[in-house]
C-alpha cells in the first residue's frame, strides 16, 4: 500500500499540513523540522513524485560546473531552452544554477526556492544524493543512476551507428577519442563503439582507443592524442569522437597536418551541435534532439510514474556528411 501524507504525519507526530509543507518544500518550517519529516518519508518509502503539476511553481535547472564551458555550451544550452519552453507553457518559473562539489550546493539551490530539480549532465553520486535528501522531486538529464528518474539519449545506439557507418565505408582501423568513462553518456557511447566492432568481427585495438585527460587545455589534449594516433603504423583510417567539439578539433588538426578528409581519415562526432553542419568539411554526427531532451525532463518531473518508468530513452539518428562519406 502506498505511503500517504497522513501516514507520515502519524509517524512523526506533526500535523498533516506541516508534513505537506515539508514535502513540498514550502516556507514556514525550520530546516530541522523539514529534514526530519523528509527523512521519515524516505524511510517509509514515500514517493516524492506524487506532487501534482499544480504544486510545482519553480524548477531549478542544475548544471555541473565542469559542463559550464564553451565546448559544452552548444549541447546544454539547447537542452536548457527546451526545459524553459516547457516550463513557460505551464506557467512555471525556471532557474539556472551552476554548481560544483566544492561549493555550498544546498545553500545555492535554496536561494532559488525550487519545488523540483532538473540535473543536467554528470554529477557526483554523492552530490545527487544530497540533492535528493532535500525531498524535492528530482530528474537526471543525460545521466543515469540506479533508483533515480532519468531521461537519456540512446548513447549506446549512437556509438554503434557511428562505428557501423565507418565500417560500412570500408574503414578497418577505427580509432576512438573518448572522455572520462565515469560519465554514463560517454561510457555508453564507448560500449556502442565496441559493439559495432564485435558484430563486424573486428578486433578492438586498445592502442587506438584514447581517453582524453580531464585537466589541461582541451585543444592541446586533442592535438596530442591525434598526433599519437597518426604516429602509429599503420595509422588509423577513421576516427570516432565522443562529442562534436572533440571531432571538430581533431578534424582541424588533421587538415593542418595535410591530411585529406575523408580520403585519408574519416571522422564522425556525436551530438550534432550547430557547428557540425557548417564545418569544412561538414561533420558526420549523431543527432540528438536537445530541445526535446529538456522538455522531456520537465515532463518527467511533472508526471506520476511507476518504478518501471524511472528511465526514459530519447532516440538518436546518424546524420551523414562529407567528413566520413567517400561517395
Amino acid at each position: 500500500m502506498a505511503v500517504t501524507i497522513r501516514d507520515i504525519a502519524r509517524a512523526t507526530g506533526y500535523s498533516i499540513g506541516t508534513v505537506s509543507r515539508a514535502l513540498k518544500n514550502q516556507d514556514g518550517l525550520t530546516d530541522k523540522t523539514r529534514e526530519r519529516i523528509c527523512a521519515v518519508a524516505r524511510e517509509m518509502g514515500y514517493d516524492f513524485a506524487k506532487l501534482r503539476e499544480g504544486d510545482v511553481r519553480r524548477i531549478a535547472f542544475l548544471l555541473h560546473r565542469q559542463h559550464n564551458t564553451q565546448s559544452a555550451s552548444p549541447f546544454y544550452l539547447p537542452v536548457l531552452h527546451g526545459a524553459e519552453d516547457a516550463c513557460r507553457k505551464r506557467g512555471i518559473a525556471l532557474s539556472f544554477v551552476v554548481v560544483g562539489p566544492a561549493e555550498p550546493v544546498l545553500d545555492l539551490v535554496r536561494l532559488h526556492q525550487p519545488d523540483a530539480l532538473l540535473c543536467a549532465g554528470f554529477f557526483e553520486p554523492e552530490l545527487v544524493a544530497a540533492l535528493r535528501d532535500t525531498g524535492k522531486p528530482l530528474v537526471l538529464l543525460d545521466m543515469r543512476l540506479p533508483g533515480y528518474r532519468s531521461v537519456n539519449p540512446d548513447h549506446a545506439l549512437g556509438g554503434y551507428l557511428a562505428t557501423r557507418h565507418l565500417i560500412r565505408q570500408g574503414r578497418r582501423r577505427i580509432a576512438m577519442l573518448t572522455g572520462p568513462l565515469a560519465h554514463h553518456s560517454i561510457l555508453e557511447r564507448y560500449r556502442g563503439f565496441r559493439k559495432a566492432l564485435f558484430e563486424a568481427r573486428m578486433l578492438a585495438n586498445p592502442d587506438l582507443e584514447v581517453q582524453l585527460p580531464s585537466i589541461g587545455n582541451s585543444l592541446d589534449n586533442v592535438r596530442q592524442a591525434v598526433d599519437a594516433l597518426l604516429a602509429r603504423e599503420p595509422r588509423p583510417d577513421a576516427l570516432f569522437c565522443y562529442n562534436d567539439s572533440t571531432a571538430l578539433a581533431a578534424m582541424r588538426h588533421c587538415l593542418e597536418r595535410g591530411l585529406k578528409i575523408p580520403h585519408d581519415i574519416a571522422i564522425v562526432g556525436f551530438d550534432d551541435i550547430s557547428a557540425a553542419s557548417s564545418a569544412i568539411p561538414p561533420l558526420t554526427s549523431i543527432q540528438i534532439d536537445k530541445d526535446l531532451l529538456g522538455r522531456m525532463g520537465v515532463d518527467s518531473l511533472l508526471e506520476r510514474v511507476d518504478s518501471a518508468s524511472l528511465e526514459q530513452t530519447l532516440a538518436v539518428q546518424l546524420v551523414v556528411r562529407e567528413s566520413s562519406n567517400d561517395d
Side-chain angles (χ1 to χ4, degrees):
M1 182 179 296
V3 177
T4 67
I5 290 178
R6 187 180 299 277
D7 296 329
I8 300 170
R10 189 180 302 115
T12 59
Y14 291 105
S15 69
I16 292 176
T18 298
V19 171
S20 178
R21 289 199 301 275
L23 297 179
K24 296 175 183 177
N25 197 41
Q26 294 176 342
D27 296 333
L29 302 177
T30 65
D31 288 343
K32 182 178 180 180
T33 298
R34 192 189 318 277
E35 290 169 3
R36 179 169 183 268
I37 291 173
C38 289
V40 171
R42 284 192 298 275
E43 291 173 1
M44 296 178 67
Y46 179 74
D47 181 7
F48 284 92
K50 286 183 176 180
L51 276 175
R52 298 184 303 275
E53 179 174 334
D55 293 324
V56 177
R57 290 288 176 259
R58 298 177 298 276
I59 293 176
F61 184 103
L62 306 182
L63 185 68
H64 197 288
R65 186 162 297 282
Q66 68 173 279
H67 296 311
N68 190 34
T69 63
Q70 185 175 0
S71 61
S73 294
F75 180 85
Y76 288 107
L77 187 58
V79 178
L80 174 62
H81 285 170
E84 192 278 330
D85 182 63
C87 287
R88 180 159 30 88
K89 290 177 179 177
R90 292 176 167 87
I92 297 172
L94 184 73
S95 299
F96 175 56
V97 188
V98 177
V99 298
E103 300 169 330
V105 174
L106 299 184
D107 291 339
L108 290 172
V109 171
R110 192 175 293 116
L111 286 174
H112 295 263
Q113 297 187 334
D115 301 310
L117 305 173
L118 205 54
C119 298
F122 172 79
F123 281 81
E124 292 82 2
E126 299 80 7
L127 183 51
V128 178
L131 292 169
R132 180 185 58 184
D133 287 346
T134 64
K136 300 177 178 66
L138 182 151
V139 167
L140 306 177
L141 282 179
D142 200 35
M143 181 181 177
R144 178 188 175 277
L145 286 173
Y148 290 84
R149 299 167 71 186
S150 63
V151 183
N152 281 282
D154 197 336
H155 297 292
L157 176 61
Y160 173 81
L161 292 176
T163 310
R164 188 182 67 174
H165 165 69
L166 291 169
I167 294 170
R168 289 180 172 178
Q169 290 291 308
R171 308 293 170 158
R172 289 297 176 265
R173 285 183 55 79
I174 304 174
M176 181 176 181
L177 290 184
T178 183
L181 297 181
H183 292 210
H184 167 73
S185 60
I186 300 174
L187 178 59
E188 289 298 297
R189 295 174 188 193
Y190 173 71
R191 285 174 172 167
F193 166 76
R194 279 292 191 99
K195 179 182 177 181
L197 294 178
F198 177 80
E199 287 191 0
R201 299 183 179 181
M202 295 171 59
L203 292 176
N205 185 346
D207 290 337
L208 298 182
E209 299 170 359
V210 180
Q211 182 173 330
L212 297 170
S214 56
I215 59 175
N217 183 283
S218 58
L219 291 179
D220 287 343
N221 291 339
V222 172
R223 293 188 189 101
Q224 291 171 14
V226 170
D227 284 341
L229 287 171
L230 295 179
R232 299 196 173 277
E233 290 294 342
R235 71 185 183 195
D237 58 6
L239 177 61
F240 170 45
C241 298
Y242 79 102
N243 65 22
D244 283 349
S245 296
T246 299
L248 292 169
M251 189 162 66
R252 285 193 297 269
H253 189 58
C254 287
L255 291 171
E256 289 170 358
R257 290 198 49 174
L259 275 68
K260 296 179 181 179
I261 300 173
H263 181 268
D264 296 321
I265 185 168
I267 298 180
V268 176
F270 205 114
D271 295 336
D272 197 32
I273 63 176
S274 58
S277 60
S278 60
I280 301 176
L283 177 67
T284 294
S285 186
I286 298 297
Q287 185 179 80
I288 296 173
D289 190 334
K290 295 169 277 294
D291 182 271
L292 178 57
L293 180 63
R295 286 187 274 121
M296 287 178 65
V298 173
D299 290 343
S300 182
L301 274 176
L302 302 179
E303 293 173 355
R304 293 188 180 187
V305 296
D306 57 29
S307 58
S309 304
L310 280 175
E311 299 176 15
Q312 298 184 58
T313 302
L314 176 64
V316 301
Q317 63 179 347
L318 174 70
V319 179
V320 177
R321 300 190 180 99
E322 293 176 25
S323 71
S324 68
N325 191 7
D326 287 318
D327 297 337

